[in-house]
Structures are given as C-alpha cells and as structure tokens.
Amino acid sequence: MKVSVQAVAVWGKIAPSHSITAIMITDDQQTIVTGSQEGQICLWDLSSELKISSKEIIFGHTASVTCLAKARE
C-alpha cells in the first residue's frame, strides 16, 4: 500500500535562500525538482504555459544537494 504524506514548511516573512545546485524535470514534464547549496530540495509545478510556481520544500540535508535522481516504482 502506498501512503502519501504532504510536507509543510513554515517560515517568517522571508523564505529560506535556495541557491540551485541540481535540477531535474519529471517524465510528465509537470514538476521541476531543484536541489540547493543550503541542503533543501524544492518541488515546482510547471504549467502548460511554462509558468513555474512553488509546490513544496523539503529540509533535512546537512550538506549541499549536488545530484538528483528519480526512483522507479
């Protein structure tokens, strides 16, 4: 059974910095994934009009994210 859990990030008036060090796009070309020098992974929605909007930010890495890879089911 597959369980999906949504991450929620809360911060003040200024979002954390995100200096992109790695980037990947999903096979369906609807989500961009970025890794950062600060150790975060961000998910971005990509619309058919090529508009990008933030979706989720994942914290927890203690070093830069320099490589991204997709897992297979």
Side-chain angles (χ1 to χ4, degrees), residues 9-21:
V10 181
W11 52 77
K13 293 181 180 181
I14 300 173
S17 62
H18 187 73
S19 306
I20 294 173
T21 52

Side-chain angles (χ1 to χ4, degrees), residues 22-36:
I23 190 166
M24 182 185 77
I25 190 164
T26 57
D27 290 335
D28 63 7
Q29 298 181 351
Q30 294 181 353
T31 304
I32 297 171
V33 183
T34 58
S36 77

Side-chain angles (χ1 to χ4, degrees), residues 6 22-34 41-48 50-58 68 70:
Q6 289 245 319
I23 190 166
M24 182 185 77
I25 190 164
T26 57
D27 290 335
D28 63 7
Q29 298 181 351
Q30 294 181 353
T31 304
I32 297 171
V33 183
T34 58
I41 295 174
C42 289
L43 305 178
W44 309 85
D45 282 327
L46 179 61
S47 72
S48 57
L50 301 179
K51 293 183 180 179
I52 300 171
S53 58
S54 60
K55 183 176 179 179
E56 294 179 41
I57 186 168
I58 302 165
L68 295 166
K70 56 187 170 187

